[in-house]
Amino acid sequence: VQLQASGGGLVQPGGSLRLSCAVSGRTVSYTIMGWFRQAPEKEREFLAAIRWSGDSTYYADSVKGRFTISRDAAKRTVYLHINSLQPEDTAVYYCAAGNRLSGIVSSYEYWGQGTLVTVSS
């Protein structure tokens, strides 16, 4: 399974961004896709997860209402839309594949390379 995250960049505070994660390979083995982020000198933080079937989503309490996860099964792509970006959202954002709708890093077996989001004026 290969995961390719994209869509990061420099954004002004208050702006929005949509991150994408394109999935290829033996994706049939993995039913859950998740998004995490890691800021400098901080641990990797869970953000949101979704089933490929689209019938279940799971969010970290800290991002509810501001982050939205979605997927396009036909394109094998998962998205993370982020509103009202703030400097504290600056981090490398990672997508991951697993089989548990979970916020635990070890629940995910495959990881993308990450895409950097920088929020600054």
Side-chain angles (χ1 to χ4, degrees):
V1 178
Q2 292 81 44
L3 310 179
Q4 180 70 43
S6 62
L10 176 63
V11 184
Q12 290 191 342
S16 298
L17 204 61
R18 188 183 77 166
L19 306 180
S20 300
C21 177
V23 185
S24 60
R26 295 182 60 185
T27 57
V28 293
S29 298
Y30 298 94
T31 59
I32 305 296
M33 294 296 298
W35 281 99
F36 292 74
R37 69 183 177 187
Q38 188 163 18
E41 301 182 0
K42 291 190 176 181
E43 292 186 355
R44 194 160 294 190
E45 175 189 15
F46 169 74
L47 301 173
I50 189 169
R51 291 188 186 278
W52 274 116
S53 63
D55 59 353
S56 296
T57 57
Y58 176 49
Y59 291 92
D61 288 342
S62 59
V63 305
K64 284 181 180 177
R66 200 162 62 89
F67 288 39
T68 303
I69 190 170
S70 62
R71 96 283 180 263
D72 185 327
K75 294 183 178 179
R76 290 187 172 182
T77 301
V78 179
Y79 305 98
L80 185 69
H81 191 95
I82 311 171
N83 292 321
S84 302
L85 280 155
Q86 299 301 319
E88 52 266 33
D89 293 316
T90 295
V92 177
Y93 285 69
Y94 297 92
C95 57
N99 282 312
R100 289 181 59 194
L101 196 63
S102 166
I104 300 173
V105 170
S106 59
S107 295
Y108 296 83
E109 297 187 42
Y110 287 92
W111 293 80
Q113 84 291 354
T115 184
L116 176 62
V117 173
T118 302
V119 184
S120 176
S121 55

